[in-house]
Amino acid sequence: MSAGARGVAYDTLRAVDADDAYANLLLPRLIERAGLSEADARLTTELTYGTLRRRGTYDAVITAAADRPVEKIDPAVLDALRLGVHQIMSTRIASHAAVYETVQLVRRAAGGPASGFANAVLRRISRDTPGEWMARIQDSARSDDERLALRTAHPVWVIRALRRALAAEGRADELDALLTADNQAPQVTMAALPGLAEIPPGHARTQYSPLGFRLGGGDPEPVVRRSRGRVRVQDEGSQLAALALTRAHPVEEGERWLDLCAGPGGKTAILAAEAVAHGARLEANELVPARAGLVRQALAAVPKRFSVTEEDGRSRAAESPDTYDRILVDAPCTGLGALRRRPEARWRKSPADVHELTALQTELVDAAIGALRPGGVVAYVTCSPHLAETSGVLAEILRARSDVEQLDARAVLQSVSRAPIDLAAPADGSGRAQLWPHRHGTDAMFISLLRRV
């Protein structure tokens, strides 16, 4: 592997750590800018995502080998050490090459003394096998959950939240399968916008979404460009979430739709294509200007002009009471359902974030219901199975409002799907639907459909 490939991986790790960048958005741009070969691009992707995915485990190894907590290591050095440890413990790259190249990265980033420290730590790690290191750090665990966290590279609070979410479906015994799925790279899934693109012949269709298919391999970007954006990279669960709203009941011509939290625009593009096909009108809103720009790019693939506003979704909905027939609230969330594609999310969020996010989600859904006409439907969607972000918000909305009823989202998804979906009925008896990586091969999308009465 070239030093350029390691350098791109390191630059991505630094941006994720220092600037809260999203690896899935940044890495393709850095690979293209560096002019990496296809082979080096694949390796860079594996190094980046593998290091991000197992960061907590590698930090425990580094702490033991350096005899100091990672919080006391310079962040630029620490990211290089994580990259080096990943190569030593989880790839076939020769340990001596991993040590040498990582030390060179540290020398360029932080100078000679820091490179000497990195050399000593990595050589200490390379003297023992990965199995010996895993046994060592697990022996230091203070609880079974902490041991599981080190083995599976998930924070303890995430493990407990996922266990509770599975237990709510009577399937707590699937936790190991879910944690394993979170650490596997997802297949690249494509969506052909309905009415605007066809699934190319020779490609395997997705099991559930009528819009989805798989690429045989290679970079999907040329396929997207050739289609002028009418074929897109999109998780199958996201496709189903958008279709659950548009196909919850038949569309009447002239309906008004709103995508309240539209960025980055994947679901918006499906809504727009469906709106064109059925004579509906779609408006989109996204608070963050950069993400609003991505929404406009996504909508450019649809042969019709759509407005995109940049407002707080709560005030945007409050401006238009009793107006819309369908509203998508794809709410800001912890992102715990997309850890395969955004592995850094597990380390970026904390339990303290959940309260703030659930309060925001509740306010967004409440405002969206107020913007519905009687008979209109809100799809409340999160890319998280955390019960506070799913059933907790749903219960609060149903408790506080007498003008809303819950539809059976599981039945709607079954009607949309190409094949039967194993959607467990939650213990609370609600009509909500929860998709899972280990069970469905999708992100862990939560979908609830609420009709204003």
Side-chain angles (χ1 to χ4, degrees):
M1 184 181 65
S2 72
R6 280 190 180 87
V8 170
Y10 176 72
D11 289 345
T12 306
L13 296 177
R14 287 300 301 132
V16 167
D17 191 38
D19 304 324
D20 284 339
Y22 291 93
N24 64 317
L25 300 179
L26 176 62
L27 182 59
R29 297 204 304 268
L30 294 185
I31 287 173
E32 184 176 8
R33 189 182 305 164
L36 298 184
S37 67
E38 186 173 332
D40 272 354
R42 285 197 301 269
L43 283 167
T44 301
T45 300
E46 194 285 323
L47 287 180
T48 302
Y49 281 92
T51 303
L52 289 171
R53 197 172 284 124
R54 301 197 64 82
R55 193 183 88 173
T57 301
Y58 296 154
D59 281 1
V61 172
I62 292 167
T63 294
D67 197 25
R68 70 178 71 172
V70 292
E71 292 79 12
K72 294 190 176 181
I73 300 174
D74 179 85
V77 176
L78 179 59
D79 279 329
L81 287 174
R82 290 165 173 160
L83 181 60
V85 173
H86 177 64
Q87 293 172 70
I88 293 168
M89 294 189 63
S90 301
T91 75
R92 296 180 180 179
I93 296 169
S95 291
H96 66 86
V99 172
Y100 174 80
E101 294 294 347
T102 303
V103 169
Q104 297 311 303
L105 281 175
V106 173
R107 189 184 305 279
R108 291 192 291 272
S115 69
F117 167 73
N119 184 62
V121 172
L122 292 173
R123 287 190 180 280
R124 170 74 184 88
I125 294 169
S126 66
R127 283 200 295 268
D128 295 332
T129 68
E132 288 169 334
W133 277 110
M134 289 302 299
R136 188 172 298 148
I137 63 173
Q138 288 183 79
D139 285 345
S140 69
R142 295 164 294 183
S143 67
D144 288 343
D145 278 354
E146 190 171 302
R147 192 170 298 108
L148 183 61
L150 290 167
R151 178 170 61 83
T152 64
H154 287 72
V156 169
W157 78 271
V158 172
I159 287 175
R160 291 171 177 167
L162 296 177
R163 181 188 290 122
R164 287 192 292 269
L166 288 167
E169 298 184 348
R171 298 190 177 188
D173 59 346
E174 294 181 5
L175 179 62
D176 282 344
L178 172 58
L179 298 176
T180 298
D182 275 350
N183 286 331
Q184 295 172 342
Q187 286 184 286
V188 176
T189 305
M190 311 295 290
L193 294 183
L196 300 176
E198 299 291 334
I199 295 174
H203 291 280
R205 300 189 65 173
T206 50
Q207 185 173 2
Y208 306 117
S209 170
L211 314 180
F213 66 98
R214 314 277 188 196
L215 286 183
D219 183 2
E221 188 56 32
V223 178
V224 175
R225 283 198 296 265
R226 284 196 300 271
S227 74
R228 294 176 295 172
R230 296 179 180 185
V231 168
R232 311 177 53 79
V233 177
Q234 188 173 35
D235 178 75
E236 189 177 9
S238 293
Q239 298 175 38
L240 291 171
L243 292 174
L245 176 62
T246 64
R247 304 185 184 183
H249 57 78
V251 179
E252 296 183 8
E253 188 171 355
E255 285 189 3
R256 291 186 67 180
W257 300 353
L258 174 63
D259 189 347
L260 195 60
C261 310
K267 298 181 187 70
T268 321
I270 291 178
L271 297 184
E274 292 268 278
V276 169
H278 296 287
R281 293 176 289 166
L282 172 69
E283 300 162 34
N285 178 75
E286 170 55 47
L287 174 63
V288 181
R291 290 169 63 85
L294 295 175
V295 175
R296 293 185 180 96
Q297 290 177 26
L299 290 174
V302 182
K304 186 178 178 181
R305 299 277 301 207
F306 295 95
S307 65
V308 180
T309 53
E310 298 180 14
E311 300 180 43
D312 184 303
R314 293 165 291 189
S315 57
R316 175 68 176 79
E319 293 166 1
S320 306
D322 309 315
T323 298
Y324 296 99
D325 299 283
R326 300 176 203 239
I327 301 177
L328 175 62
V329 181
D330 186 11
C333 68
T334 57
L336 299 185
L339 297 185
R340 303 172 308 156
R341 293 187 296 110
R342 294 195 293 272
E344 66 270 20
R346 70 188 78 185
W347 315 115
R348 184 171 280 172
K349 299 294 185 183
S350 74
D353 295 311
V354 176
H355 175 73
E356 182 179 348
L357 286 166
T358 54
L360 173 60
Q361 291 165 16
T362 303
E363 292 170 2
L364 285 166
V365 175
D366 183 65
I369 292 169
L372 284 176
R373 293 173 177 166
V377 175
V378 163
Y380 164 45
V381 174
T382 68
C383 191
S384 171
H386 196 299
L387 290 179
E389 298 184 274
T390 57
S391 61
V393 169
L394 187 57
E396 175 61 22
I397 291 293
L398 294 174
R399 182 196 65 77
R401 300 197 67 122
S402 60
D403 61 343
V404 66
E405 64 180 7
Q406 199 176 176
L407 302 182
D408 189 342
R410 296 190 302 279
V412 172
L413 287 179
Q414 296 287 6
S415 70
V416 168
S417 177
R418 299 181 62 244
I421 313 180
D422 179 11
L423 295 169
D428 62 10
S430 76
R432 62 189 175 91
Q434 181 68 63
L435 299 169
W436 295 99
H438 67 290
R439 200 184 303 161
H440 307 108
T442 69
D443 288 346
M445 300 295 300
F446 161 82
I447 304 163
S448 177
L449 298 172
L450 301 170
R451 179 164 58 200
R452 188 173 182 185
V453 295

